[in-house]
Amino acid sequence: MTSSTSTEPAARRGSDYARLSRRIAEAGLFERRPGRYALRIALTLGAFLAGWAVVALVGDSWWQVPLAVVMAVATTQVAFLGHDAGHRQMFRRRGPSEAAGLVAGNLAVGLSYGWWVDKHNRHHANPNHADEDPDVGAGALVWTYEQASATRGLSRWMARRQAWLFFPLLLLEGLALHVASVRALVGREPDGRWRVPMRHRAVEGLLLAAHAAGYLGLLFAVMSPAKALVFAAVHQGLWGLYMGCSFAPNHKGMPMPTASDDLDYLRKQVLTSRNVRGGRLVDLALGGLNYQIEHHLFPNMPRANLRRARPLVMAYCAEQGVPYAETGLIESYRQALAHLHDVGRPLRAG
């Protein structure tokens, strides 16, 4: 899918975002919410640590399996805090933001904060751009006809059926994130340079090691090896599934700009993003990512302000004639899966 290029003068279009930004600023929506975040952090980390305490108390029992489901939810909620820290939604200063991100990402979840920030920033700079956005690069799934036509062997077999394989593959996403974090930490280019830039590489390595030691140490200390492995499989699989289901509605199936599209910042972010309708429960379940349009326009806006920004952004887009995509959660998955199915169509026909 590709976006259509506006014919408005570049100067006019370039100022559209500035006018919207002024409206948002006048509404006070760029202001940090320290009290709100203090409460959110306390509740989220408190539930996360309490969950691990219950795991230790339950011990060698198959009741650990439902606990693994609960911990997958708690782990994802902590990961959402790392996301907010990476965008400096919590604190204006880099130091406290990085400290929060390292604790939430590396120590609590086992995900490299530095790797994720580098990857996620590239996504925000060029969302849904097949050549620039790492989230839609060819991999286990393909997002464009060109990527599909380049597949061979097992990858080609998967591309034909990728809409059906999407949710099962997400069960491996947690493992993939751990592996990618370690590879980013130690990977070098042929000339010796680090493949992924990180400000605190040694600290990240120590925290990832502490996470792995604490996680595996706790499981094997309180459970038999079989139960520990089952717990880890359920926990990591459902964490990956939850993470994938939280990010999939945001851009999948939306227009994919190419180098020939002349899009200003406002249109680049709005046309490639999709909001998900819902109440406070959806806000909590998706970590505020259901306001994807507002988040992409203003990445450092505190999560709690995104809901208030939505009507202002929607009204402004209507004024400018910019399509504003919003749908229900189930419909968002249907659109994403329809896109995956369509991309694999030429392979099935051939």
Side-chain angles (χ1 to χ4, degrees):
M1 299 176 67
T2 59
S3 61
S4 59
T5 304
S6 173
T7 59
E8 297 176 64
R12 157 88 187 277
R13 292 168 49 213
S15 64
D16 288 345
Y17 176 74
R19 285 195 292 271
L20 174 60
S21 186
R22 282 195 296 271
R23 292 188 188 182
I24 296 295
E26 289 168 359
L29 298 180
F30 290 133
E31 296 300 320
R32 296 300 187 273
R33 305 287 293 274
R36 187 70 172 264
Y37 263 117
L39 178 61
R40 186 182 299 278
I41 291 170
L43 291 176
T44 304
L45 291 183
F48 180 76
L49 294 175
W52 285 119
V54 173
V55 169
L57 289 172
V58 170
D60 191 25
S61 166
W62 286 112
W63 283 107
Q64 294 286 9
V65 175
L67 276 176
V69 178
V70 173
M71 289 312 301
V73 175
T75 301
T76 307
Q77 289 295 322
V78 172
F80 288 153
L81 290 179
H83 171 270
D84 293 0
H87 284 295
R88 297 198 201 177
Q89 295 177 14
M90 299 177 177
F91 314 102
R92 291 189 183 278
R93 294 176 51 234
R94 171 183 282 179
S97 298
E98 290 184 339
L102 289 168
V103 170
N106 293 63
L107 184 60
V109 177
L111 175 66
S112 168
Y113 175 75
W115 164 73
W116 178 84
V117 167
D118 174 73
K119 175 176 177 288
H120 199 59
N121 283 346
R122 287 186 284 127
H123 158 70
H124 268 263
N126 292 284
N128 254 21
H129 192 297
D131 297 324
E132 304 291 343
D133 182 354
D135 288 353
V136 292
L141 300 171
V142 291
W143 307 101
T144 66
Y145 296 130
E146 293 76 16
Q147 291 175 354
S149 65
T151 57
R152 298 291 182 273
L154 178 61
S155 295
R156 199 172 188 85
W157 182 90
M158 292 176 62
R160 291 192 188 102
R161 302 162 176 85
Q162 62 180 2
W164 297 98
L165 295 173
F166 178 71
F167 290 112
L169 284 173
L170 287 183
L171 294 170
L172 299 175
E173 180 66 11
L175 176 62
L177 291 172
H178 292 310
V179 171
S181 294
V182 174
R183 292 180 63 183
L185 191 69
V186 302
R188 291 180 182 270
E189 300 288 355
D191 61 4
R193 292 182 296 111
W194 294 110
R195 186 169 293 121
V196 178
M198 291 187 192
R199 284 171 50 83
H200 308 288
R201 192 175 301 273
V203 173
E204 291 218 25
L206 288 173
L207 291 177
L208 284 179
H211 168 83
Y215 183 81
L216 296 175
L218 174 62
L219 297 191
F220 285 101
V222 304
M223 304 176 211
S224 66
K227 291 186 181 71
L229 291 175
V230 170
F231 181 99
V234 173
H235 175 231
Q236 296 297 322
L238 293 183
W239 171 57
L241 179 66
Y242 187 0
M243 287 281 286
C245 286
S246 299
F247 285 88
N250 303 338
H251 304 280
K252 305 305 183 267
M254 294 301 292
M256 298 185 67
T258 66
S260 63
D261 287 305
D262 179 25
L263 297 176
D264 64 321
Y265 183 81
L266 175 75
R267 288 159 181 80
K268 179 192 295 186
Q269 303 300 336
V270 174
L271 294 175
T272 60
S273 302
R274 177 196 296 113
N275 276 16
V276 176
R277 287 191 295 269
R280 300 288 181 178
L281 181 60
V282 172
D283 293 0
L284 176 64
L286 297 184
L289 297 175
N290 46 313
Y291 301 108
Q292 192 66 195
I293 293 174
E294 289 72 28
H295 171 59
H296 258 259
L297 287 170
F298 310 107
N300 64 350
M301 179 182 289
R303 189 195 309 183
N305 290 348
L306 293 170
R307 171 181 281 269
R308 296 167 57 199
R310 172 183 166 274
L312 297 179
V313 173
M314 183 182 292
Y316 188 78
C317 286
E319 291 175 19
Q320 302 302 318
V322 178
Y324 182 102
E326 184 175 78
T327 188
L329 183 61
I330 301 302
E331 175 61 16
S332 71
Y333 292 133
R334 189 202 66 76
Q335 292 179 15
L337 292 175
H339 174 73
L340 288 172
H341 191 66
D342 182 64
V343 168
R345 176 173 47 79
L347 302 184
R348 294 190 300 276

